[in-house]
Amino acid sequence: MTLLLGLIVGVLFGLTGNGGSTLAVPLLVYGLHLRPHAAVCTSMIVVGAMAAVRAVQSTRAGVVDNRLGWRIAFGGLTGAPVGALIGRHLSERWLLMLFAALVLIVAVRLWIQKAHITSGVTSQSPGTKTHAQQFYLLAALGFGTGVLSGLLGVGGGFILIPALVLLGQLEIHRAMATAMFTVALVSVAAMASHFFAGQRVSLETTALFTMGGLMGLWPGTWLAARIPGVWLARVLAMGLFLLGAFIVVHSFVKG
């Protein structure tokens, strides 16, 4: 069961480059019955491993913009411990409610992402911002992504990818590759923050879930090249809408 759920996350991660990581925590909580805080830490390990594999592949292919990636990672490495610290002081119910809100935001973002990306590429000119302004914007973006990673165990690619298109002027595939590079680095900081705070995870569950995730990456990436992006994004968005609604209803009924 653990391997299968990890496989689902890996396939979706390979398909979308961002939406799959949003499913990891709910599957760990409702499918494997982990406590929410342990699920966040486990999710960060799995997401970090998958992002690292994608980042290595993209780096070898020469499609990662290391300059922009490190700028975002600079802020993310600072934000991850802040997110982990905030998470320690949240009750499990509020942690899940925040996660439900995030899931719904991601669903909306996926539903409209094509329109945003198209308008961003055509309306923004590279010379709009100075290098200093761009550095601070990307560092702030990285900080916010790091906070989300430390708090909710997600990679943050759903934020980074459109931001790299709009702010960094990157083509979408290059933006996805650069986002995975950043997510891999930020995930390490988030994991370390949780462990230093005393959070522990099940080695067996984490290993099997990670193995499933890595196994799912290849078929997910293969399918991504063959399924229309808009159709895929909207199917995933509808699934996330349902998931967010389920978390909210379940939290209130249980509460």
Side-chain angles (χ1 to χ4, degrees):
M1 182 66 173
T2 305
L3 193 67
L4 176 61
L5 293 179
L7 185 69
I8 292 171
V9 171
V11 169
L12 290 173
F13 194 89
L15 275 169
T16 64
N18 55 83
S21 66
T22 314
L23 287 174
V25 169
L27 288 178
L28 288 165
V29 171
Y30 299 110
L32 300 179
H33 308 292
L34 268 63
R35 307 301 298 183
H37 290 91
V40 166
C41 189
T42 302
S43 172
M44 208 66 266
I45 295 171
V46 178
V47 170
M50 293 190 298
V53 170
R54 291 286 299 271
V56 169
Q57 294 171 340
S58 299
T59 300
R60 288 177 176 174
V63 293
V64 174
D65 189 316
N66 291 299
R67 179 179 60 87
L68 293 182
W70 277 109
R71 286 182 179 183
I72 296 176
F74 174 79
L77 293 172
T78 306
V82 175
L85 179 63
I86 295 172
R88 285 174 56 196
H89 298 287
L90 282 178
S91 68
E92 292 184 348
R93 183 181 180 185
W94 277 107
L95 189 63
L96 288 173
M97 292 298 288
L98 276 176
F99 203 94
L102 176 67
V103 166
L104 293 172
I105 291 170
V106 174
V108 172
R109 189 68 189 83
L110 282 170
W111 189 269
I112 64 175
Q113 74 174 8
K114 185 182 179 186
H116 275 215
I117 289 172
T118 302
S119 64
V121 171
T122 56
S123 63
Q124 180 105 355
S125 62
T128 301
K129 294 179 174 60
T130 66
H131 288 298
Q133 288 174 323
Q134 187 189 62
F135 174 82
Y136 288 121
L137 279 172
L138 291 174
L141 174 69
F143 180 83
T145 303
V147 171
L148 279 178
S149 297
L151 177 60
L152 299 175
V154 296
F158 65 94
I159 296 174
L160 293 178
I161 293 171
L164 283 167
V165 172
L166 296 172
L167 296 177
Q169 298 297 308
L170 297 186
E171 182 269 333
I172 182 63
H173 294 95
R174 192 167 173 82
M176 289 178 67
T178 303
M180 291 304 100
F181 171 81
T182 303
V183 167
L185 292 173
V186 174
S187 297
V188 174
M191 280 187 289
S193 300
H194 283 287
F195 281 119
F196 283 135
Q199 180 64 60
R200 296 294 179 262
V201 299
S202 165
L203 293 179
E204 180 182 0
T205 299
T206 303
L208 287 173
F209 203 83
T210 303
M211 188 183 305
L214 295 176
M215 288 169 58
L217 273 181
W218 183 82
T221 305
W222 184 83
L223 285 171
R226 290 160 176 80
I227 298 178
V230 175
W231 183 85
L232 174 66
R234 293 197 170 179
V235 169
L236 182 57
M238 286 188 287
L240 289 175
F241 275 125
L242 294 175
L243 176 62
F246 170 79
I247 295 173
V248 171
V249 171
H250 187 273
S251 297
F252 276 112
V253 170
K254 188 176 179 180

